[in-house]
Amino acid sequence: MATVLVLLDHAETGALRGSVLELATAARDLADGGEVHGLWVGDEPVDPALPVLGRHGVAVVHQVSTGAVDARLTPVLAEVLADAVRETGATVLLALSTFENKEAAARLAVATGAGVVTDAAAVERDAEGRVVASKTVLAGTWTTRCAVRTGLAVVLLKAGAVVSRHVDEEAPLAPELRTRALAVSERATRAALVRRTPAAPSDRPDLSSADVVVVGGRGTEGDFAPIEALADEVGGAVGSTRVATDEGWIGHETQIGQTGVTVSPRLYIGAGVSGAVHHRGGMQASGTIVAINPDPEAPIFEIADYGIVGDLFTVLPQVTEELRRLRQG
Ligand SMILES: Cc1cc2nc3c(=O)[nH]c(=O)nc-3n(C[C@H](O)[C@H](O)[C@H](O)COP(=O)(O)OP(=O)(O)OC[C@H]3O[C@@H](n4cnc5c(N)ncnc54)[C@H](O)[C@@H]3O)c2cc1C
């Protein structure tokens, strides 16, 4: 039996990030009869989220306030995590594999000696009861299984790695809410958040957790309209290659790959993307890969499940139109 702690990432509105519930499911499997606790960092109202967390098996939610200190600073978050691990006696900590969480986890590992696996695509216990996480490394050329051998295992799971399951509908838990304030060290606040500028609101799903991602590369020559039209038709997110972001055709936050976002959607559609190794590292774990490229020798065809040898400006509008027709009719 183990207490498994889940970091409950949420928006400023208090809305839980969807993939957090996937973590709760993974946590139940790892708890082995023990309890799943959630860690809610910040003063946003947690009450509306409690019923859904209860349906996903979270027994206790710890709401930790850092007062005027911004907990989005990773040194601050790392101290909150260390405190929560001490408070709960958790032997496993699960969080989403975001840039911020990876940095906080690294700091936590230095402070506690915990073993950390980031970008995990799956996690389980082996026959010896160790926490074992799977992940691809070296730009997707190897799949590894990493057993954590320290007393505290910290695993950061990629969005979509686990299919979230409710506990028995008849017996949802009523999570106990424990609130406390934490005074973080002066050392953790040497950097301060000076200004935040919210990105323009978008109806599209978050790139890192979207079920469908439509990606444009150099082949778009800067015209992302056909990419965006297909993404909107299928309710997907728009991604890009580094060439497209470096050219200033689209924002850097859309870049997928080794130095960008890692995605693992059920469906990846890449148009005008060559499939360079640095890009593949960020999308190779996608469920089904569709590539559209006029060059039959393009490396992306080596990993594509479906390949269309053609011009994206001809193919994408036809695909979008056909999907629209099927949806309407
Ligand atoms: C340290 C390092 C880190 C990097 N990190 C990343 C990263 O995180 N993400 C990333 O993406 N890259 C990264 N790169 C860059 C990477 O190596 C490639 O240069 C980049 O991925 C190529 O982008 P691309 O596929 O858009 O362009 P290209 O490789 O130039 O390919 C363009 C493709 O478009 C096709 N095309 C042309 N016209 C059309 C058309 N009309 N319709 C359809 N297809 C067409 C061409 O046939 C070609 O295959 C990194 C590089 C380095 C050195």
Side-chain angles (χ1 to χ4, degrees):
M1 292 217 311
T3 298
V4 179
L5 185 62
V6 173
L7 177 60
L8 302 173
D9 278 329
H10 54 85
E12 282 174 38
T13 56
L16 278 175
R17 285 189 67 176
S19 306
V20 164
L21 300 175
E22 298 165 11
L23 299 182
T25 299
R28 293 209 307 279
D29 293 342
L30 294 171
D32 197 20
E35 283 188 335
V36 175
H37 289 209
L39 172 62
W40 183 281
V41 186
D43 299 318
E44 296 80 11
V46 62
D47 290 315
L50 291 179
V52 65
L53 290 169
R55 280 199 296 280
H56 285 82
V58 178
V60 181
V61 174
H62 304 263
Q63 181 171 25
V64 177
S65 169
T66 52
V69 177
D70 199 318
R72 281 168 298 224
L73 291 168
T74 50
V76 175
L77 179 58
E79 287 198 1
V80 176
L81 292 172
D83 173 75
V85 167
R86 265 193 307 274
E87 185 79 14
T88 58
T91 50
V92 185
L93 168 67
L94 298 183
L96 291 174
S97 207
T98 60
F99 285 125
E100 295 81 2
N101 290 350
K102 285 187 216 180
E103 190 177 317
R107 290 174 180 276
L108 174 69
V110 171
T112 63
V116 178
V117 184
T118 60
D119 286 330
V123 63
E124 60 183 354
R125 283 196 188 273
D126 67 6
E128 294 164 44
R130 296 179 304 185
V131 172
V132 179
S134 308
K135 62 180 287 184
T136 56
V137 295
L138 299 173
T141 49
W142 287 79
T143 301
T144 58
R145 279 169 51 78
C146 317
V148 182
R149 297 159 56 200
T150 49
L152 171 64
V154 179
V155 178
L156 271 53
L157 278 162
K158 291 200 292 191
V162 176
V163 178
S164 72
R165 297 188 316 270
H166 286 179
V167 291
D168 184 351
E169 285 291 349
E170 302 299 317
L173 304 183
E176 178 193 341
L177 179 60
R178 298 182 195 164
T179 54
R180 65 178 189 283
L182 180 70
V184 294
S185 72
E186 185 269 329
R187 197 163 158 262
T189 55
R190 283 182 190 157
L193 194 57
V194 180
R195 193 178 63 206
R196 298 175 73 235
T197 309
S202 161
D203 292 337
R204 297 201 182 105
D206 177 50
L207 179 61
S208 60
S209 56
D211 270 350
V212 182
V213 174
V214 188
V215 180
R218 194 199 299 271
T220 62
E221 293 177 3
D223 181 0
F224 266 67
I227 307 282
E228 289 173 345
L230 177 56
D232 290 341
E233 187 57 35
V234 296
V238 170
S240 70
T241 63
R242 182 155 149 182
V243 167
T245 60
D246 282 353
E247 292 287 342
W249 296 338
I250 191 163
H252 280 282
E253 71 285 354
T254 62
Q255 182 188 314
I256 292 169
Q258 186 176 316
T259 45
V261 182
T262 303
V263 297
S264 46
R266 292 186 210 291
L267 175 62
Y268 165 105
I269 303 171
V273 174
S274 63
V277 67
H278 300 104
H279 182 74
R280 287 160 67 151
M283 48 65 75
Q284 196 140 315
S286 304
T288 300
I289 297 173
V290 179
I292 302 158
N293 195 311
D295 175 6
E297 303 296 325
I300 196 161
F301 287 129
E302 291 166 13
I303 55 164
D305 297 285
Y306 298 96
I308 302 171
V309 178
D311 183 328
L312 74 89
F313 293 102
T314 311
V315 176
L316 283 184
Q318 289 180 33
V319 173
T320 307
E321 187 48 41
E322 184 62 9
L323 286 172
R324 191 171 295 142
R325 196 185 61 76
L326 289 170
R327 203 178 294 273
Q328 285 168 355

